[in-house]
Each structure stands twice: as structure tokens, then as C-alpha cells.
Amino acid sequence: GRTRGKGGTGGDRGGRGRERAGTLTVRNAVFSNNRASDGGAVSTDGVLNVSGTAFVGNAASPANGLGGAINVNGGGRLTLSRSLVKDNTGAFGGGIYTYGTADIVATTLTGNAATTGGGGLVSDSQGGPTTVRDCTVLGTRADPDGPPTHSPDARSGRVSPPSGHVSPAPPAITRQRFR
């Protein structure tokens, strides 16, 4: 079946869902027009497995919100495959912010915007490895005066491992140390 989560407001984290320490699996769902301080649609401290899902028009706080669609906190793990992350907004990571471990495969990030850095994706370098493979990142926007990108790999459109390809990268992907 198809699950729809629309127009939720999560206050502190996760406009539609918040997973603290367990495992949340989402398949063939749509999260649209949700709002929260961090993780406009979903925020997790646990394990989040997502496939075949669309995150459209979600928002984290424009002042300091992490991940317009998805926020992965320290110790969390995101596996995102065959999904769409579109037209989401936040301060850091218009589409996705991860301070945990992330594996993003065969996913399109398009039209996401960040008021500070990483229009498509921010991977905090202290959180854990982020792998991006077979993904497309298009039409993202981020403040050009935002925090600099520290990883030469992120600037070239590659995030660990070097075979992980996205195009174009800046300002789509930021590998950043914030703490």
C-alpha cells in the first residue's frame, strides 16, 4: 500500500515522525508539507530504513533547522534508496542533514534549499560516514556565504567512497564540521 503523511507539525523534531532509538522502516510512502525545528518530515536517533518514498515540500526551521526532509542525529543510521527528496528547506541540509551514518543509493535530490549550507545534503564529518551512490542532485540552492566545504571529495561531487557519484555537487553536498 501507499502511506501518506501530509501537513504535520512536529515542534522540536520530525513533523510526521520521530524515531528515538529503535528501527523505523518506511516503504512506498509520501511525506509532504510537514514542519519541525529539525527534520521537517522525519528525525531519528535510531535506525531509519527508507525505500521508494517521496519527501516533498517539507521544512526545518530556516534559522537553524537541520534537514528539511530528514534529520539523522548522532548514533543514528539512515539507509535511503530509490527515493525522491524534492523542494524541501532548512538551514543546514535543505534535503537531508546527517550527524549519524548514512547510505544513500539511487535517490534524486532536487530543488532543495538551505539558508546556510548544503542545499541537498549536509554530512557532519564528526557523525559518521556518508555514502552516496548512483544519485542525482539537481537544482539545489544554498547561501554562498554559508560554512565552507571542508572535504575535497564533496567539492568534486563525490562522497565516501570515491565511486559514489552525484552531479553537480556544490552547493548540493556539504561535508562539514559544525561542532
Side-chain angles (χ1 to χ4, degrees):
R2 191 131 175 111
T3 302
R4 295 193 177 270
K6 184 174 181 179
T9 302
D12 184 28
R13 293 201 176 132
R16 211 62 204 143
R18 170 107 197 254
E19 178 54 48
R20 292 202 178 245
T23 298
L24 176 63
T25 300
V26 179
R27 291 187 191 110
N28 305 319
V30 176
F31 291 87
S32 64
N33 301 312
N34 298 289
R35 307 283 179 264
S37 295
D38 294 327
V42 179
S43 185
T44 186
D45 298 336
V47 176
L48 177 60
N49 300 310
V50 180
S51 65
T53 295
F55 295 88
V56 181
N58 301 288
S61 168
N64 58 5
L66 307 176
I70 300 171
N71 174 45
V72 180
N73 297 306
R77 174 155 180 70
L78 169 66
T79 301
L80 179 66
S81 65
R82 297 179 286 103
S83 293
L84 173 67
V85 181
K86 179 180 178 184
D87 298 335
N88 300 285
T89 60
F92 298 93
I96 300 168
Y97 176 90
T98 177
Y99 186 70
T101 301
D103 188 20
I104 303 169
V105 180
T107 292
T108 298
L109 292 91
T110 184
N112 298 290
T115 56
T116 306
L121 165 68
V122 169
S123 173
D124 191 311
S125 61
Q126 293 182 7
T130 293
T131 303
V132 176
R133 293 175 296 170
D134 302 323
C135 291
T136 301
V137 180
L138 299 168
T140 61
R141 298 173 310 282
D143 181 351
D145 295 324
T149 300
H150 288 299
S151 167
D153 288 340
R155 281 194 296 272
S156 69
R158 292 172 174 76
V159 177
S160 176
S163 63
H165 242 358
V166 293
S167 176
I173 298 175
T174 301
R175 181 110 169 120
Q176 178 70 41
R177 189 174 195 179
F178 291 106
R179 295 180 197 352

